[in-house]
Amino acid sequence: MAKTLVDKLEETNFAVLNSMDDWVRIVDPKGNTMFINDSLKEARKKSEDLKIYLDENVPLNLASENESIRNTTVVEEKLISERYYSIKASPIFYEDKYKGTVEVFRDITRETMMKIELFEANRSMLDDIRFVRKVQSSILPKSKDYGNIILEGIYIPSANVSGDLYDIIRLDDSRYAFYIADVMGHGVKASIMTMFIKVSIGSIFDKHPEFTPSDAFLKLRERFFDLDIDSSQYFTAWLGIFDFKDNSLIFSNAGHNCPPMLYKNSAYTCKFLHANGRMISNIIEPDVYNEVTLNLEEGDKILFFTDGAIEASNEDKKEFGLEKLRETFCKFQDINKIYDRISDFTWGEQQDDITLAMISYKENEDEVK
């Protein structure tokens, strides 16, 4: 039976098989090698490992006891003599009867090494991203009391590194500055920009604690312009200064399209804290940042957020939206319940960072008396 098959193959196919650079062998149903092509013969002479492999291994579908697998083309990858091979084993039928298996070995060492190198590079990059994300999380202020301010924050980064940032800075015994910023885009470049913003604003107020929000934004824009970045880059920010002596808040907005929301405890009302001002960019001229002043009372709360909170979408691609966020904040005044509502609404993979911060104000005790 075997001889009949080999004779038939020799008449039609052996010349073709011998001309192939790929290795080819034919194995009968009992696992005996019936034929190997010239390429495999030459390789077997040079490699003891290959001889051992051919003697000890039959095609994968032949080794299986499952008849359906034995009659199916099977592909596997093996390391032989320090090189990687893709081995394709296909059943041979002669006169409608199963007569054996033809096995083709293709050298895929180059492709495999490229995959390994790419995997290692990606793993290294992912390790770097995880590290950057960890650093970003660590530089956010802790949720605690800062003078008359009770700060709470929730930061849920997406799969990438973030361009979101918020921080609180002590100016003196009775004044604190708070800001929230959102850098265009994602990735390492955006994360580095958040570091620049944090270091720059901290340095500005360290040297000029008397600065107003508008002064700080103009100086920040000046430092950003001095970076001399070739490509168009920008970020938005909202910055306010709390003064505990007169329970006041003065703030400016640098193009931040997510204006904070103020809940007035005495009136049970919510409003947006709007102020005019352009984003900070290397292609936009400096702006005159409008400043707004208001008084705060015991129990007033301010919600800060970035666009990831309002752009979270459900399975119908409908966004959570600014109005739904306002309604949720006005109803609960609780940052955890707000996040739960956003999380319950969201469907699928989180596309953007979700950053929420809430300040609850405690009125100056001297004023209360």
Side-chain angles (χ1 to χ4, degrees):
M1 180 178 66
K3 187 174 186 305
T4 302
L5 175 61
V6 170
D7 291 343
K8 183 67 175 179
L9 289 171
E10 188 171 11
E11 293 172 8
T12 58
N13 296 318
F14 277 11
V16 175
L17 298 180
N18 281 322
S19 68
M20 293 173 61
D21 291 330
D22 294 336
W23 300 342
V24 181
R25 75 166 171 171
I26 298 174
V27 181
D28 69 17
K30 295 181 179 180
N32 301 311
T33 299
M34 302 162 55
F35 167 81
I36 61 174
N37 71 345
D38 291 343
S39 296
L40 183 53
K41 286 178 183 177
E42 290 300 316
R44 190 176 58 173
K45 292 177 183 178
K46 300 174 182 178
S47 172
E48 188 64 29
D49 290 340
L50 179 56
K51 288 181 183 178
I52 294 172
Y53 177 85
L54 294 174
D55 290 341
E56 295 182 354
N57 292 272
V58 296
L60 186 62
N61 49 3
L62 262 184
S64 173
E65 296 180 358
N66 189 319
E67 287 298 326
S68 62
I69 294 178
R70 296 188 68 170
N71 293 331
T72 303
T73 296
V74 177
V75 180
E76 59 178 330
E77 293 184 7
K78 290 284 187 179
L79 181 63
I80 307 173
S81 297
E82 299 183 350
R83 297 192 69 81
Y84 293 93
Y85 291 88
S86 172
I87 306 173
K88 185 176 183 179
S90 301
I92 299 174
F93 289 89
Y94 177 62
E95 296 179 350
D96 294 329
K97 293 183 179 180
Y98 173 66
K99 299 297 184 180
T101 299
V102 59
E103 198 174 30
V104 179
F105 298 70
R106 174 156 295 178
D107 191 334
I108 57 168
T109 304
R110 182 179 178 183
E111 296 89 333
T112 302
M113 294 306 298
M114 289 178 64
K115 290 179 183 178
I116 292 173
E117 290 173 6
L118 182 60
F119 172 80
E120 292 296 335
N122 284 339
R123 185 171 66 176
S124 177
M125 182 176 65
L126 288 173
D127 288 343
D128 290 344
I129 289 174
R130 292 188 188 101
F131 175 77
V132 172
R133 288 175 63 183
K134 188 173 182 179
V135 171
Q136 282 189 300
S137 298
S138 69
I139 67 173
L140 297 176
K142 298 187 184 320
S143 296
K144 65 174 189 177
D145 292 12
Y146 298 85
N148 291 22
I149 291 172
I150 304 171
L151 175 63
E152 300 172 89
I154 292 177
Y155 169 68
I156 311 294
S158 61
N160 213 327
V161 288
S162 173
D164 290 0
L165 172 70
Y166 65 89
D167 200 8
I168 188 166
I169 303 169
R170 182 180 180 275
L171 304 180
D172 54 43
D173 290 341
S174 62
R175 294 188 309 133
Y176 278 82
F178 178 88
Y179 67 88
I180 186 167
D182 190 355
V183 179
M184 177 195 72
H186 298 88
V188 175
K189 184 166 69 172
S191 71
I192 291 175
M193 282 304 305
T194 64
M195 304 299 181
F196 164 80
I197 294 169
K198 179 178 176 66
V199 171
S200 296
I201 294 181
S203 173
I204 289 168
F205 278 119
D206 184 55
K207 293 181 179 179
H208 306 282
E210 77 284 357
F211 267 13
T212 66
S214 178
D215 294 332
F217 274 149
L218 289 170
K219 179 61 71 173
L220 178 61
R221 196 272 175 193
E222 181 181 308
R223 292 192 177 187
F224 180 67
F225 185 79
D226 288 342
L227 292 177
D228 194 24
I229 299 174
D230 292 334
S231 62
S232 174
Q233 183 72 33
Y234 69 86
F235 60 89
T236 67
W238 184 101
L239 189 154
I241 296 176
F242 295 84
D243 191 332
F244 306 150
K245 288 183 178 179
D246 58 4
N247 298 309
S248 67
L249 168 64
I250 181 171
F251 63 89
S252 293
N253 190 336
H256 194 60
N257 63 349
C258 298
M261 303 176 190
L262 169 65
Y263 175 80
K264 290 297 293 182
N265 188 49
S266 60
Y268 307 106
T269 59
C270 286
K271 70 174 184 178
F272 293 103
L273 299 184
H274 288 293
N276 296 325
R278 294 177 180 175
M279 67 185 70
I280 295 177
S281 168
N282 57 350
I283 61 172
I284 297 177
E285 292 300 318
D287 198 5
V288 176
Y289 294 99
N290 183 35
E291 293 181 342
V292 178
T293 303
L294 55 84
N295 292 322
L296 296 174
E297 302 171 332
E298 182 80 20
D300 286 351
K301 298 178 187 291
I302 304 175
L303 178 68
F304 303 89
F305 57 99
T306 56
D307 52 14
I310 57 177
E311 293 177 358
S313 58
N314 62 13
E315 57 184 340
D316 296 323
K317 305 300 181 184
K318 182 179 179 181
E319 295 184 347
F320 191 78
L322 194 60
E323 183 56 29
K324 187 182 292 290
L325 182 65
R326 188 192 69 81
E327 292 174 357
T328 306
F329 172 55
C330 292
K331 180 177 181 180
F332 296 110
Q333 305 102 55
D334 184 305
I335 193 171
N336 292 303
K337 290 183 179 179
I338 294 169
Y339 173 70
D340 288 343
R341 285 297 179 94
I342 295 172
S343 180
D344 291 343
F345 178 86
T346 304
W347 183 83
E349 184 179 354
Q350 180 182 325
Q351 298 299 316
D352 201 355
D353 315 299
I354 296 178
T355 303
L356 299 169
M358 191 173 76
I359 283 179
S360 301
Y361 191 74
K362 300 184 293 184
E363 194 171 3
N364 193 312
E365 293 180 1
D366 292 337
E367 292 295 324
V368 173
K369 293 177 181 177

